[in-house]
Amino acid sequence: MKWRLQEGRGEAVYQIGVEDNGMLVGLSEEDMRASLKTLHRLAEKVGADIAVLRERELDCDSDVPRKIAEVLIRKVPDDQQFLDLRVAVLGNVDSGKSTLLGVLTQGELDNGRGRARLNLFRHLHEIQTGRTSSISFEILGFNSKGEVVNYSESRTAEEICESASKMITFIDLAGHHKYLKTTIFGLTSYCPDFAMLVVSANTGIAGTTREHLGLAMALKVPIFIVISKVDLCTRATVERTVRQLERVLKQPGCNKVPMVVSSTDDAVTAAQQFAQSPNITPIFTLSSVTGESLDMLKVFFNIIPPLSNSKEQEELMQQLTEFQVDEIYTVPEVGTVVGGTLYSGICREGDHLVVGPTELGQFHHLTVGSIQRNRSACRVLRAGQAATLALGNFDRSLLRKGMVMVSPEMDPTICWMFEAEIVLLFHAKTFHKGFQVTVHIGNVRQTATVEAVYGKVSSTTELL
């Protein structure tokens, strides 16, 4: 069990009544109780909690009814506070992304006029127009027994972090075409584990939906779909939207296998298959106003495992420190604070790093003060985790988005030119020397000029 938990970075699903070859044999009521009792004792020994996900009776010829069960075992690794998953939220403007997140994280249903999303907005113009224009982060926790921990019981994010053993961080991205580069920045720099595409049941695939789906697929982010606002439509309209999505997902370009979730049992199966095969695309149909099918989405989030295993995580942690700067703030009595993601290595309070490159290609020395993750203090930051670092009285004017903070041992160098193999998907004009493009690499968003184009192989070219 220890090994299984380590493999799943703190989570494992046990199937009882299933043989090693996958054959469903089932257990009698008495044997099932005894098996669950044994599992309980095993879990207690390793300090884990168990929760029965589902039980069902087998249709077999025997006189005694036989059952099979699936059990979730969860134990937060000793060296961290909680399991962490990042979910990017995509979808066209007015599809209900911020409202859905407001309902999930606040624990209160929407009033049908956007009350649930007000807590997520960061700017006055967002509240006035109801449109997200910046990237905001929201958290949803699950305790070791699989129960939801959100702002309905906890007053602060710190309380959620303390009582949760699994944390889902939602990255709320903009849906409007005007803010597309902000959405691309969110997808490339914050390295989400999964993407949730929200589609409005009454409008179907409209506006930027196809672009957002294409972006997630190009960046190889596993995607699942939520059809919202089912309370506004007839059943036939919802089914038409589902069929429309299924058609798009089955196209040769997508090559996905849609899986409509209509029960809690489906949600458990979807979470397991989605993690095993990147082609499976679960589709949820729900309402943020009536709360219909919202529990199925919560079950899905509770069970979904992290994609990277513990071995990959350890390999990243053994590399030199590299932190990518996404946000810069000035906080009273704290000084300059930077937010971003640690790509590799480990970062501790008091570490000496270099930050750059400046316009002249230089790197400046700095010292990390305090570290905060999900708005609560943290002493050690590990590869793949997002956090904010306090830098004390470091001059803010020397920093900008897209810089990196690295270990001085890395001896970083810069480049003004690079070669890239590109595929031209669609463009109104011709792609030629002197053409100006915007390059997105990780959290870097930079204007570049094409110096030369070599060897056109069908639609693939090389850019220098």
Side-chain angles (χ1 to χ4, degrees):
M1 186 180 279
K2 272 185 181 173
W3 182 80
R4 285 238 179 271
L5 286 169
Q6 195 183 347
E7 276 294 288
R9 283 172 57 188
E11 278 186 346
V13 174
Y14 275 69
Q15 293 178 325
I16 304 171
V18 180
E19 286 193 350
D20 290 347
N21 60 5
M23 190 176 161
L24 306 174
V25 288
L27 297 174
S28 66
E29 185 75 46
E30 202 179 320
D31 289 348
M32 180 60 77
R33 272 207 308 272
S35 296
L36 286 172
K37 202 173 174 185
T38 307
L39 256 188
H40 261 292
R41 280 161 58 192
L42 280 169
E44 268 176 30
K45 279 270 193 284
V46 296
D49 277 308
I50 87 168
V52 178
L53 295 176
R54 55 180 173 178
E55 266 190 328
R56 70 167 188 257
E57 270 191 32
L58 284 179
D59 297 328
C60 54
D61 305 329
S62 70
D63 307 331
V64 183
R66 291 186 162 276
K67 285 184 169 183
I68 58 168
E70 277 186 77
V71 182
L72 175 71
I73 299 175
R74 183 175 287 159
K75 178 187 186 284
V76 177
D78 302 325
D79 59 354
Q80 67 187 68
Q81 268 180 291
F82 45 75
L83 307 165
D84 199 7
L85 287 182
R86 283 197 290 276
V87 177
V89 186
L90 300 167
N92 188 35
V93 65
D94 300 332
S95 61
K97 299 185 294 298
S98 300
T99 299
L100 174 61
L101 292 194
V103 169
L104 284 170
T105 59
Q106 305 295 326
E108 280 183 28
L109 294 173
D110 187 49
N111 64 350
R113 293 188 297 280
R115 185 179 64 191
R117 68 188 179 197
L118 292 177
N119 295 306
L120 278 72
F121 289 149
R122 295 170 65 181
H123 304 291
L124 180 63
H125 68 262
E126 292 181 325
I127 294 168
Q128 288 166 343
T129 61
R131 286 178 181 164
T132 304
S133 65
S134 60
I135 300 169
S136 66
F137 294 86
E138 290 304 315
I139 55 173
L140 174 68
F142 291 94
N143 64 18
S144 53
K145 292 182 175 66
E147 296 158 349
V148 172
V149 183
N150 58 17
Y151 287 110
S152 60
E153 292 104 28
S154 314
R155 274 190 232 99
T156 62
E158 203 164 340
E159 282 180 31
I160 294 176
C161 293
E162 279 169 14
S163 49
S165 54
K166 181 175 190 172
M167 193 75 79
I168 309 286
T169 305
F170 293 107
I171 307 162
D172 189 15
L173 301 173
H176 200 278
H177 201 280
K178 188 164 74 171
Y179 309 118
L180 186 63
K181 63 180 184 185
T182 305
T183 304
I184 295 172
F185 176 79
L187 275 172
T188 55
S189 75
Y190 293 113
C191 309
D193 295 289
F194 307 103
M196 175 166 81
L197 181 70
V198 182
V199 178
S200 176
N202 54 352
T203 55
I205 298 174
T208 52
T209 308
R210 283 176 195 271
E211 282 176 83
H212 286 184
L213 179 64
L215 280 170
M217 286 176 59
L219 294 166
K220 294 186 172 62
V221 181
I223 195 160
F224 61 95
I225 296 170
V226 170
I227 297 174
S228 65
K229 304 188 185 182
V230 297
D231 55 295
L232 290 178
C233 322
T234 60
R235 197 76 234 154
T237 312
V238 176
E239 280 168 13
R240 191 174 70 228
T241 304
V242 171
R243 282 198 300 273
Q244 190 186 10
L245 275 165
E246 285 177 337
R247 267 201 309 277
V248 169
L249 291 169
K250 285 176 181 172
Q251 283 174 356
C254 286
N255 212 9
K256 300 276 186 190
V257 182
M259 179 182 179
V260 179
V261 176
S262 53
S263 68
T264 310
D265 209 45
D266 288 352
V268 175
T269 309
Q272 291 170 354
Q273 293 193 352
F274 182 55
Q276 287 160 7
S277 164
N279 287 345
I280 301 266
T281 306
I283 299 175
F284 296 85
T285 53
L286 53 82
S287 164
S288 299
V289 176
T290 63
E292 184 189 328
S293 304
L294 210 57
D295 287 342
M296 293 178 205
L297 189 60
K298 288 175 186 172
V299 166
F300 180 78
F301 283 133
N302 177 34
I303 300 166
I304 200 162
L307 283 183
S308 62
N309 59 34
S310 51
K311 192 179 172 196
E312 289 169 22
Q313 179 81 357
E314 278 168 26
E315 282 172 8
L316 274 174
M317 278 161 55
Q318 282 160 8
Q319 293 172 17
L320 291 171
T321 305
E322 182 182 338
F323 182 88
Q324 299 219 335
V325 178
D326 298 330
E327 306 268 357
I328 303 151
Y329 319 95
T330 302
V331 180
E333 296 176 19
V334 176
T336 305
V337 172
V338 293
T341 310
L342 188 69
Y343 266 46
S344 61
I346 288 176
C347 182
R348 294 183 178 86
E349 290 179 1
D351 276 5
H352 297 288
L353 303 172
V354 292
V355 65
T358 60
E359 286 180 9
L360 300 171
Q362 297 166 322
F363 283 80
H364 297 286
H365 287 265
L366 56 80
T367 306
V368 176
S370 58
I371 303 173
Q372 281 206 341
R373 272 186 75 207
N374 287 329
R375 301 166 205 166
S376 62
C378 161
R379 292 211 173 276
V380 182
L381 193 61
R382 291 174 175 77
Q385 296 178 343
T388 51
L389 314 181
L391 308 180
N393 55 5
F394 189 82
D395 185 1
R396 181 182 170 161
S397 62
L398 296 172
L399 297 168
R400 63 181 170 85
K401 276 187 187 183
M403 279 187 167
V404 285
M405 285 163 49
V406 295
S407 168
E409 296 163 43
M410 203 180 271
D411 192 21
T413 53
I414 62 156
C415 71
W416 298 101
M417 277 178 140
F418 63 90
E419 281 191 6
E421 199 173 278
I422 67 160
V423 178
L424 202 61
L425 297 174
F426 48 84
H427 200 275
K429 302 192 184 88
T430 54
F431 192 80
H432 53 81
K433 185 185 172 184
F435 195 80
Q436 288 197 325
V437 292
T438 303
V439 182
H440 291 264
I441 305 173
N443 67 342
V444 178
R445 188 167 64 199
Q446 181 67 51
T447 314
T449 308
V450 178
E451 290 289 316
V453 179
Y454 304 118
K456 295 173 193 168
V457 184
S458 65
S459 60
T460 309
T461 59
E462 228 176 69
L463 154 79
L464 180 69

